[in-house]
Amino acid sequence: MVVAFRWFVPLLASVAVVTPCWSQETPRPLREFARRQRLLVGTAVGYSELVDDPRFAQTAARECNLVTTENELKWGIVHPAPDTFDFTRADAIVDFARANRMKVRGHTLVWHQQNPAWLTNGTFTRDELIALLRTHIHTVAGRYRRRIKHWDVVNEAFDDASGTLRDTLWLRGIGPEYIELAFQFAHEAAPRAKLFYNDFLIELIGPKFDAVYALVADLKARGVPIHGVGFQAHAFLSTSCTTCFDQMATRFKQIADLGLEVAITELDVPIVQPTTPAALADQAVLYDTALAACLSVRRCRTFVMWGLTDRYSWIPSFFPTMDDALILDRDYAPKPAYFALRDRLAGPRR
Ligand code: XIL
């Protein structure tokens, strides 16, 4: 009987992945659970923490099967002078990902921020600006065409809350067509890559979502090579907003019904300081709601957080009253949000 039971254990373990008796000291990593949901679980990775903090690199490789280049492929870093491209830092992240069997999400080919001074202060005709955009995208997306299969092509083209196109150097210099040109150039450079429009606060109902919906529906209908919409999912409002992701699944479905993929691309849930146990519990609910929304839609296969540990997060320097937005604390200990994600991934397969 005992022998038979022993034979049974590995068999059962391979079928029923939920084994409630794991010790919390040696949890199985999120990427293992994500695989059985056919989901990429990722983190933004900055060059400095990757090279300076071995613990960060180990944790990212352990937990995630995807990395997004946090800053290293933005124009300001990768294209520092008109005729100069510098791929040193991006290459380090891509090499790290390869060595650890992780996919890479490229971020981002067109944005209004973190552009080099030569671009923002320059004077260009419309044709010159289009040529610059073409050269940039062909060079960057082309270099990584075999290694980067997902791109946030155009980032934040709409105003923060309205449905108006944002006043950027691209809109002023080229007109609204800069968006479809960017997708065309990216497709020419990386024909097998999935190309996304990426923005924030579009999980809510309102003019911004409507405008993004109309844009991507139009691009798709006209045959522009767009494959999906990235929902950044920065929960800016505060953790008392436990309902602010409640519409997310509905928004995902609307986009998916257009025949487009959806992705969560930059999830974090900042806490208005000071952080309390109740706030951590609310934060876990929001992380879980976002993951459940993604799992509820067949066309959502990517779940990326904007960092892993509160040791490295963009939040406190941009929103000084907020912090502790990620799923591991400063000492890499899992927070309630980590366990919420793990439990959701270990739950029923979608
Ligand atoms: C942030 C980075 O995390 C910071 O390190 C940088 O200083 C500013 O940009 N939306 C985006 C990301 O699309 O590129 C931003 O990343 C966060 C908001």
Side-chain angles (χ1 to χ4, degrees):
M1 197 56 204
V2 171
V3 173
F5 178 70
R6 277 205 187 128
W7 277 104
F8 244 85
V9 170
L11 194 66
L12 279 177
S14 66
V15 183
V17 179
V18 188
T19 43
C21 54
W22 296 317
S23 88
Q24 294 206 344
E25 289 75 47
T26 54
R28 283 166 59 189
L30 294 179
R31 69 185 280 176
E32 266 188 40
F33 294 102
R35 198 173 46 201
R36 66 185 278 281
Q37 299 284 2
R38 301 213 186 143
L39 185 73
L40 293 171
V41 62
T43 178
V45 167
Y47 176 78
S48 335
E49 54 263 31
L50 186 68
V51 298
D52 293 343
D53 182 353
R55 208 166 165 203
F56 179 82
Q58 281 156 17
T59 307
R62 178 185 144 80
E63 296 296 336
C64 296
N65 52 15
L66 177 144
V67 298
T68 296
T69 54
E70 182 171 2
N71 290 305
E72 325 304 343
L73 284 173
K74 292 173 181 170
W75 278 67
I77 291 180
V78 87
H79 199 163
D83 297 320
T84 308
F85 287 87
D86 181 354
F87 293 107
T88 322
R89 293 162 155 234
D91 279 355
I93 296 176
V94 172
D95 290 348
F96 161 76
R98 255 199 153 174
N100 292 287
R101 293 174 294 107
M102 305 158 95
K103 306 267 188 234
V104 182
R105 189 173 186 93
H107 177 86
T108 174
L109 295 169
V110 187
W111 198 24
H112 61 287
Q113 288 184 19
Q114 292 179 270
N115 286 319
W118 67 265
L119 179 66
T120 47
N121 300 336
T123 312
F124 306 103
T125 66
R126 182 173 190 271
D127 285 349
E128 285 168 347
L129 208 51
I130 291 175
L132 271 175
L133 188 65
R134 180 190 290 111
T135 303
H136 177 87
I137 293 178
H138 280 182
T139 306
V140 177
R143 176 185 179 88
Y144 296 110
R145 70 189 171 284
R146 292 199 185 79
R147 290 171 289 172
I148 298 188
K149 297 287 172 52
H150 299 86
W151 273 103
D152 296 328
V153 175
V154 176
N155 198 30
E156 302 178 357
F158 288 95
D159 271 344
D160 286 5
S162 76
T164 315
L165 278 179
R166 192 185 289 277
D167 180 22
T168 68
L169 73 98
W170 304 111
L171 185 68
R172 283 192 300 277
I174 298 177
E177 306 79 47
Y178 84 85
I179 296 175
E180 64 195 79
L181 287 172
F183 280 95
Q184 275 159 18
F185 297 153
H187 185 62
E188 287 160 13
R192 297 222 294 270
K194 290 188 173 165
L195 307 179
F196 285 69
Y197 175 78
N198 195 50
D199 215 326
F200 61 88
L201 286 180
I202 51 172
E203 60 277 2
L204 305 173
I205 307 171
K208 186 163 181 176
F209 175 80
D210 293 346
V212 169
Y213 182 91
L215 169 79
V216 299
D218 175 60
L219 294 176
K220 172 108 170 107
R222 289 192 292 112
V224 175
I226 179 171
H227 307 106
V229 173
F231 288 69
Q232 292 186 5
H234 297 290
F236 285 115
L237 302 179
S238 87
T239 47
S240 60
C241 173
T242 44
T243 57
C244 65
F245 284 167
D246 282 7
Q247 287 295 313
M248 195 180 255
T250 313
R251 304 282 85 77
F252 284 3
K253 190 161 182 319
Q254 281 174 273
I255 298 294
D257 286 348
L258 291 172
L260 292 167
E261 294 193 18
V262 296
I264 291 179
T265 52
E266 307 185 13
L267 177 61
D268 54 15
V269 181
I271 293 177
V272 178
Q273 295 301 285
T275 297
T276 61
L280 290 171
D282 287 350
Q283 179 180 57
V285 170
L286 281 170
Y287 270 94
D288 181 51
T289 307
L291 177 57
C294 182
L295 293 177
S296 75
V297 174
R298 196 173 46 85
R299 287 197 162 100
C300 184
R301 300 278 164 188
T302 301
F303 179 88
V304 184
M305 296 163 283
W306 210 239
L308 274 180
T309 158
D310 293 331
R311 189 178 280 258
Y312 308 112
S313 164
W314 71 302
I315 291 296
S317 50
F318 281 76
F319 306 95
T321 58
M322 299 189 186
D323 205 349
D324 298 333
L326 297 165
I327 61 172
L328 306 176
D329 73 12
R330 278 176 179 63
D331 298 318
Y332 292 88
K335 293 159 63 180
Y338 176 94
F339 294 113
L341 295 185
R342 187 199 62 181
D343 292 349
R344 173 72 58 180
L345 289 172
R349 280 199 189 161
R350 56 168 154 184

